[in-house]
Structure formats: C-alpha cells, structure tokens
Amino acid sequence: MTAPIIRTRADLREMTRGWTRAGETIGVVPTMGALHDGHLSLVARAKDMSDRVIVTIFVNPKQFNNPEDLENYPRTEHEDARKLERFVVDAIYVPDGAQMYPDGFATTVSVDGLTNVLCGAHRAGHFDGVATVVTKLFTQTSADLAFFGEKDFQQLQVVRRMARDLDLGVEVVGCPTIREMDGLAMSSRNLLLSDQARSRASALNAVMEDMAEALTKGAAIDDLLPEAKARLAAAGFGDIDYLEMRTNETLTLIDRATEPARLFAAAYMAGVRLIDNIDVPVTT
Ligand code: AMP
C-alpha cells in the first residue's frame, strides 16, 4: 500500500492531531532519502514499537558543510516511496526548504561537548544543522519515539542529549548498523562510488574489525595505527579524517579498551567520505 506523501506542516498536523487525540503513539524515522536496508531496518523497528509511523525525507542543507556534497547527494523520492510500500507506514513527510526554513528563519539548536570531536571537528556546523532540523521534525511530527542508526553513532548521542536537554518528550531509539555482505556499512553515499571504488571500500570495515580484535586483547591504539593506515592507503583510501577509539557515552578519547567504547573512522574513497564505527568489547 502506498503511504500518503505529505508536503506541508499543515497537512501533517491535520493527520497527527487525530492520532494524538486517540492516544496513539507516533514513531518517526528521519532520513535524507535514497533509502536502503539500513533505513528500512529503522522503519521495521518503528513499526514494532509505535502505533503510527512517519518516515521523513529531507535533504537538510544546514547539515552540509560542502555545497558540492549537497548538490551530489542522491535524491530518489519515487523509489523511496516504493521501498516503503511493504512496511505500510502511515505517512511519508517530504517537506521542501521553504517548509523547514521559511524566510527570516533565525534559530539554531546547538549541542555542546559531544559535537566538538569526530565529525563535529571536521564538518563545521554539521551537528548544529542536524540538531536544528531534528528538533523541528520532532515537533512537526508530534513524535513520541524516534529511530536513529548506530551507523551515525555520534549523531545518535547528540540527538539523545538534545532530546533530554530540551525536554522534547521523545524516546530516542538506537538501531544497529546494517552492512553489505562484505562488511561495508550501508549508506546512501555508497551510490556515489564506482564499482571499483565500491569493492575497495570494504577495507574500511575489515581494518576496523582487526583493530577492534587487537584492542580487545589489550593492545594500545597507537601501536595499531601505522599498519591500519597503511592498509587503508593500499586499498585506495585517501585522506583519513579520523581513526580513533572513544567511550560510548561521552565520546572521550581512550587508547586502551578499558571501558565501553567504539572505534570510529571517517575516510575518503575516490572523493566520497565514508564513516563507520564498531563496538570494541572491553578488555577482559
Ligand atoms: P541518512 O538518510 O543518512 O541521514 O540516515 C537516516 C537514518 O538512517 C539515520 O538515523 C542513520 O543513522 C540511519 N542509517 C543510515 N545508514 C544506516 C545503516 N547502514 N544501518 C542502520 N541505520 C542506518
């Protein structure tokens, strides 16, 4: 069944009002479209946990620090709607820029601390853009629950912090990263890779898995980095923005796996910025 595509706040409000009055919970899955099985796993979880499900599709200009990246971002609305059919969601909300940021728009939601590292340190203004749009999407959709992927683990923690700090009354649910058969984390950006670059990109996860195994056995990350970086370069990766181990809750940099932590990476393959993160079990 094709879900209604809603394009305005007014139409959305009209829909959600009845649901809220009836005491139904609303689960929201915010996306930028070009949907893949990673997104769809969030939709499945939302269906399990909520009475009503809204998938939002909005390529948010405020979270792009590079105009070319924004321009090239894949947009596949028709395909996206088709992929959602089997989930029978209640609405697909596809606002345009004017709906989200009307003339005179002047407010920014900014989360301190967690956003100073990793992608926050490399993409100026990115998390302000994320926090601002997610706040708006939560209020516009009257969300009770919202579903985010661990694929963007820093984003998940930023959104959790923001929802708590602003008393938004939204339960933020984190969902595991869905991967391709060769370990590459699914991402809309993978569509931008040539066949050759796509097959080389799997080295990122392979290198990270080997590092995580050594870290769990007690290794210090500094001792692992030279070989890891050499393997990434040999696979065809260019710049590495970061390859670091950080604690789960506060994203504090650590060198040995002595507390719950993840390994985080961002690296360029053929000009496309790929990110990944994996759990590092605590050294026993
Ligand atoms: P995006 O469209 O890239 O902004 O992603 C929308 C949501 O889908 C975010 O919460 C992402 O973390 C999540 N997501 C993207 N890729 C994956 C994946 N491979 N596995 C799980 N969730 C994902």
Side-chain angles (χ1 to χ4, degrees):
M1 195 181 80
T2 315
I5 295 187
I6 309 287
R7 298 194 188 273
T8 67
R9 276 169 296 155
D11 288 349
L12 185 65
R13 183 45 54 110
E14 181 140 339
M15 255 191 145
T16 56
R17 195 181 286 131
W19 300 342
T20 308
R21 261 203 217 118
E24 294 175 321
T25 56
I26 300 175
V28 174
V29 182
T31 80
M32 298 204 298
L35 300 184
H36 50 64
D37 285 349
H39 296 113
L40 299 178
S41 74
L42 271 49
V43 176
R45 189 78 181 278
K47 286 286 294 185
D48 279 349
M49 291 182 65
S50 346
D51 298 322
R52 299 285 181 173
V53 172
I54 303 173
V55 176
T56 74
I57 299 178
F58 179 62
V59 182
N60 175 31
K62 286 196 188 291
Q63 72 188 68
F64 284 81
N65 51 323
N66 175 347
E68 212 177 304
D69 190 21
L70 173 61
E71 174 101 354
N72 291 338
Y73 201 85
R75 290 164 173 84
T76 58
E77 181 184 313
H78 184 73
E79 270 284 285
D80 292 347
R82 207 184 49 73
K83 286 182 187 161
L84 288 170
E85 274 173 18
R86 69 187 161 99
F87 294 92
V88 195
V89 301
D90 295 277
I92 307 173
Y93 179 47
V94 192
D96 64 11
Q99 286 295 311
M100 295 306 280
Y101 305 118
D103 276 351
F105 187 87
T107 301
T108 299
V109 179
S110 191
V111 178
D112 211 358
L114 287 173
T115 59
N116 295 337
V117 299
L118 300 172
C119 286
H122 288 272
R123 301 183 67 191
H126 170 68
F127 284 115
D128 284 1
V130 169
T132 303
V133 82
V134 170
T135 303
K136 286 178 66 79
L137 289 170
F138 282 5
T139 51
Q140 290 182 354
T141 56
S142 309
D144 298 294
L145 302 121
F147 299 82
F148 287 83
E150 289 181 349
K151 153 87 185 352
D152 302 277
F153 192 84
Q154 185 178 19
Q155 168 174 278
L156 170 64
Q157 296 301 49
V158 167
V159 169
R160 281 194 167 128
R161 180 78 263 161
M162 177 204 82
R164 234 179 285 148
D165 288 354
L166 298 181
D167 306 314
L168 296 182
V170 179
E171 182 189 341
V172 176
V173 181
C175 306
T177 302
I178 305 297
R179 298 179 180 281
E180 304 285 358
M181 294 289 277
D182 63 1
L184 180 67
M186 289 192 184
S187 165
S188 307
R189 285 201 163 83
N190 297 350
L191 292 174
L192 304 174
L193 296 168
S194 67
D195 286 352
Q196 193 199 40
R198 162 66 193 81
S199 80
R200 291 171 156 222
S202 61
L204 183 59
N205 183 248
V207 168
M208 291 173 75
E209 288 290 351
D210 289 347
M211 287 179 78
E213 197 183 320
L215 289 163
T216 293
K217 288 183 183 149
I221 191 163
D222 279 350
D223 295 333
L224 305 176
L225 284 174
E227 190 198 327
K229 288 182 176 172
R231 281 177 64 191
L232 290 176
F237 277 92
D239 284 350
I240 298 173
D241 274 356
Y242 54 77
L243 181 52
E244 298 172 348
M245 180 166 52
R246 291 185 176 266
T247 59
N248 289 347
E249 295 305 318
T250 56
L251 303 182
T252 304
L253 198 60
I254 55 173
D255 63 347
R256 287 182 199 269
T258 48
E259 53 188 304
R262 301 183 82 83
L263 190 59
F264 294 86
Y268 285 84
M269 168 55 75
V272 179
R273 187 174 187 275
L274 300 177
I275 62 170
D276 200 354
N277 70 87
I278 60 172
D279 181 50
V280 182
V282 174
T283 308
T284 45

